[in-house]
Amino acid sequence: QVQLVESGGGLVQPGGSLRLSCAASGSIFWINTMGWYRQGPGKERELVATITRGGSTNYADSVKGRFTISRDNAKNAVYLQMISLKPEDTAVYYCNAEASPYASTGFYDYWGQGTQVTVSS
């Protein structure tokens, strides 16, 4: 199966920057779209940004112009560069991948364990 491991979260002051990384490992035949989602305190999980294998991106309106998603297909990795962070960006950030573990199987949604991002002075 496919495992996703995030890293790069932490505590940052408003206006600061962070870069999240997510690496996929295990049995991987193909990965289509990868993305980042977040869940703030008392809120539902929401989309932050996605990127297709070809590099097409999609962002939530709340992060446009501040967050940049990128990926390295050779490394099965996806990244999220976050600048001008706001307190409302505080959340657990989850990596997601639409992946097929074997050539004979279909595609499934895989999730990382999440990494905490806290924006506070």
Side-chain angles (χ1 to χ4, degrees):
Q1 295 299 308
V2 178
Q3 293 86 41
L4 301 176
V5 178
E6 303 103 333
S7 61
L11 173 64
V12 64
Q13 292 186 342
S17 302
L18 279 176
R19 184 175 188 254
L20 305 183
S21 300
C22 172
S25 63
S27 178
I28 301 171
F29 171 69
W30 195 261
I31 300 178
N32 281 337
T33 299
M34 301 185 80
W36 290 94
Y37 292 72
R38 68 185 181 186
Q39 187 166 13
K43 299 180 180 180
E44 294 186 352
R45 190 174 297 188
E46 63 177 1
L47 179 147
V48 175
T50 61
I51 183 168
T52 67
R53 188 173 185 87
S56 295
T57 59
N58 178 53
Y59 295 92
D61 287 343
S62 59
V63 306
K64 284 181 180 176
R66 301 188 299 121
F67 291 9
T68 302
I69 190 170
S70 60
R71 68 187 283 175
D72 185 330
N73 291 330
K75 295 182 178 179
N76 292 322
V78 64
Y79 310 96
L80 187 68
Q81 179 67 50
M82 306 183 292
I83 66 171
S84 302
L85 282 161
K86 304 175 181 180
E88 50 263 44
D89 294 318
T90 295
V92 178
Y93 284 70
Y94 296 91
C95 175
N96 170 266
E98 181 189 26
S100 175
Y102 305 102
S104 58
T105 62
F107 286 84
Y108 304 93
D109 260 345
Y110 294 92
W111 294 90
Q113 81 287 352
T115 185
Q116 177 71 46
V117 172
T118 301
V119 184
S120 175
S121 55

